[in-house]
Amino acid sequence: MSGVGPVEPGEGTRARDIPGPDAPPLPGIPPEPPRGRLGQTYTRHRRAILPIAAAVALLAGAGYLYATRPEQAPPEPPPYPSQVVGITYLGQEPAPDNAPPESFSIGVELTVRSGPQVTVLGITQPYAGLSLASVPRLPFRTRTGFPHKISITMQVTECARVPRNAGLPFLDVTLRNTRAIQVHSFILGERYAHDLSEAVQVACSTNSASSPKP
């Protein structure tokens, strides 16, 4: 006579010996493949998916580190041209052959000590009775660390408007670099003051320079 109920476990069988639906697979028995289309797709392509996921995580970490990196301070701007340019008085020079009457010449040396290239845009002096021309002609560029000689020729145009004994005469020099354009006054010292006063006295001793010129 055949039975209709479930087969009863044999004598000595315990409940934990019978694997349930959620029990881990027995040794030597391969795990049941995941069910569903998504699970089966993952199983087939997991060797390709895992490196891609690792790369995405690495990029995300690198992006976070880049976004949270400490900001670097902006670079220091170049110095103002007047801070790095020096002018030295060299002394009197013979006036050029084509110089007008009542003219005299001096030499100065300009040096850019550091920073970017400086362009000399203009050279003037404060006295209304003197005109000025320079060689090399303006504007001209300089090289950092190299001295540049400038020959300056002045003409007395009106003796009444030129001091006979200038105390601290100076030159106004217009300078430009990548930072700024500046007009800076350079005092050339007692030697320049003496030579300038002497040249003016000599020029004004003639009749042609003693009266205002049109």
Side-chain angles (χ1 to χ4, degrees):
M1 180 175 180
S2 61
V4 295
V7 178
E8 295 294 334
E11 184 179 355
T13 301
R14 291 173 294 179
R16 64 180 180 181
D17 295 334
I18 304 174
D22 297 327
L26 295 176
I29 301 177
E32 182 181 358
R35 299 177 181 179
R37 180 177 300 175
L38 182 61
Q40 294 176 0
T41 301
Y42 172 77
T43 300
R44 289 196 303 268
H45 301 287
R46 62 180 177 179
R47 289 188 177 180
I49 292 174
L50 290 178
I52 294 175
V56 170
L58 181 62
L59 289 175
Y64 174 78
L65 292 176
Y66 180 81
T68 58
R69 76 192 190 286
E71 294 186 1
Q72 296 182 352
E76 291 291 332
Y80 286 99
S82 62
Q83 296 175 336
V84 295
V85 171
I87 292 183
T88 302
Y89 178 64
L90 299 179
Q92 291 180 307
E93 294 183 348
D97 294 337
N98 59 349
E102 295 84 44
S103 295
F104 58 94
S105 296
I106 62 171
V108 298
E109 187 176 81
L110 183 148
T111 304
V112 182
R113 295 183 291 270
S114 62
Q117 184 183 69
V118 173
T119 300
V120 180
L121 299 177
I123 301 175
T124 60
Q125 50 77 42
Y127 306 118
L130 286 176
S131 64
L132 180 151
S134 65
V135 177
R137 297 182 62 182
L138 302 172
F140 67 89
R141 296 179 178 178
T142 64
R143 295 175 60 191
T144 302
F146 289 85
H148 298 265
K149 181 183 177 182
I150 306 173
S151 296
I152 298 174
T153 299
M154 300 184 188
Q155 180 190 9
V156 179
T157 58
E158 191 173 344
C159 289
R161 305 183 69 179
V162 181
R164 301 296 179 95
N165 294 295
L168 289 174
F170 56 88
L171 293 177
D172 287 328
V173 184
T174 304
L175 306 167
R176 180 183 68 196
N177 68 359
T178 55
R179 176 75 181 271
I181 297 177
Q182 289 183 299
V183 179
H184 189 72
S185 297
F186 292 91
I187 298 176
L188 302 183
E190 294 182 359
R191 184 181 170 203
Y192 170 63
H194 174 270
D195 290 348
L196 177 64
S197 297
E198 185 179 73
V200 168
Q201 291 177 9
V202 171
C204 290
S205 64
T206 62
N207 293 332
S208 59
S210 58
S211 59
K213 294 180 179 297

